[in-house]
Amino acid sequence: MDSSKVKSIMFSLGADLCGVADVNRFEDAPEGYHPLDVFPTCQSVISFACRFPAGVLSCKTAVPYTRVRNSITAKMDAIALDFCIEMDKLCIAAIPIPTNESQWDSKTKRWRSIISQKHAAQAAGLGTIGRHSLLITPEFGSMVWLGAVLTEAKLQPDPELEKICNDCNLCVKACPVNALEYSEIKQQVCWDHAFGDNEETKNWEISCHQCRDICPYNLGYQI
């Protein structure tokens, strides 16, 4: 198995981007959230992304953005699961990382995925994390959703990218709750403002994505 075959399978399953990181690139992961903490025989982390339609940023209602987010989450999890099944057929162990599932880390007082999707994507050369804490890719900017798979296969890693975000701080100024005023996002402040029930419609929705809207690279920079 080589990296080109891995990417071919990922693209056939519906991924728009795919990259590979060596497990040694995760030495700065928080305690308990390193790939080896999840899968002790992990050699490589495969990150993939699907494009998030940009039109939903301009809607006057939160319903389309929220629905796309919910639907694409299921899509990413299905791609990861199907990929792992394909690896099983080749007698290669691989496990899917949930795309949008967090647990409380009592050590750092933050919610975390068992493996950070953004940091996995950055380590695999898909993009770099911006000031707004979102991944920015050359092709699609921050308009992507992320998935990952851990595998025991030793794959050729992709090169990491140079920093894309230019620290213009437009996202910092745009945040209505000042969640970006420090280098680490005020996670709970952001979530409490952006996610929740609409008192008028009684629907759960994502009502704020201003940091994504304002980013000069929110649609990428490749022609």
Side-chain angles (χ1 to χ4, degrees):
M1 175 60 64
D2 59 27
S3 294
S4 62
K5 177 63 174 177
V6 162
K7 293 176 183 178
S8 177
I9 294 173
M10 276 295 188
F11 294 145
S12 73
L13 293 172
D16 292 309
L17 301 173
C18 183
V20 176
D22 187 274
V23 73
N24 292 321
R25 290 182 179 175
F26 294 82
E27 59 183 14
D28 293 331
E31 182 182 355
Y33 295 88
H34 191 284
L36 295 176
D37 293 323
V38 177
F39 190 37
T41 59
C42 179
Q43 295 272 4
S44 303
V45 178
I46 303 164
S47 176
F48 65 97
C50 287
R51 189 168 191 170
F52 198 95
V56 297
L57 297 180
S58 303
C59 294
K60 292 185 177 181
T61 168
V63 172
Y65 186 97
T66 304
R67 174 50 58 191
V68 167
R69 178 265 199 182
N70 292 344
S71 297
I72 204 169
T73 294
K75 175 182 178 179
M76 305 302 289
D77 286 340
I79 290 174
L81 173 60
D82 289 344
F83 178 86
C84 291
I85 291 172
E86 291 302 311
M87 292 298 98
D88 266 7
K89 294 176 183 177
L90 299 171
C91 298
I92 299 172
I95 63 163
I97 301 300
T99 288
N100 193 39
E101 184 175 313
S102 300
Q103 62 185 29
W104 181 247
D105 178 11
S106 60
K107 299 182 184 69
T108 60
K109 309 300 181 185
R110 297 178 70 82
W111 293 95
R112 297 189 185 280
S113 171
I114 56 172
I115 298 297
S116 169
Q117 295 282 2
K118 290 182 292 188
H119 288 86
Q122 182 169 263
L126 294 193
T128 64
I129 298 172
R131 181 68 181 82
H132 45 25
S133 87
L134 303 170
L135 186 84
I136 304 173
T137 69
E139 299 87 352
F140 310 124
S142 64
M143 297 306 293
V144 290
W145 228 243
L146 302 172
V149 168
L150 310 184
T151 179
E152 65 180 9
K154 184 69 173 176
L155 302 170
Q156 178 66 36
D158 288 290
E160 297 176 87
L161 301 184
E162 295 293 327
K163 181 180 177 181
I164 296 173
C165 176
N166 65 358
D167 292 320
C168 67
N169 284 331
L170 289 175
C171 56
V172 178
K173 298 172 185 175
C175 180
V177 291
N178 298 317
L180 297 171
E181 60 181 331
Y182 301 112
S183 59
E184 187 174 68
I185 186 173
K186 295 179 181 177
Q187 185 187 70
Q188 198 62 56
V189 171
C190 171
W191 289 10
D192 287 346
H193 172 72
F195 309 134
D197 292 329
N198 183 313
E199 293 184 5
E200 182 178 347
T201 65
K202 309 303 181 184
N203 286 335
W204 185 92
E205 63 185 30
I206 302 171
S207 59
C208 182
H209 38 74
Q210 292 189 40
C211 60
R212 196 186 298 268
D213 300 345
I214 198 69
C215 180
Y217 301 106
N218 71 345
L219 295 178
Y221 59 80
Q222 286 192 354
I223 299 176

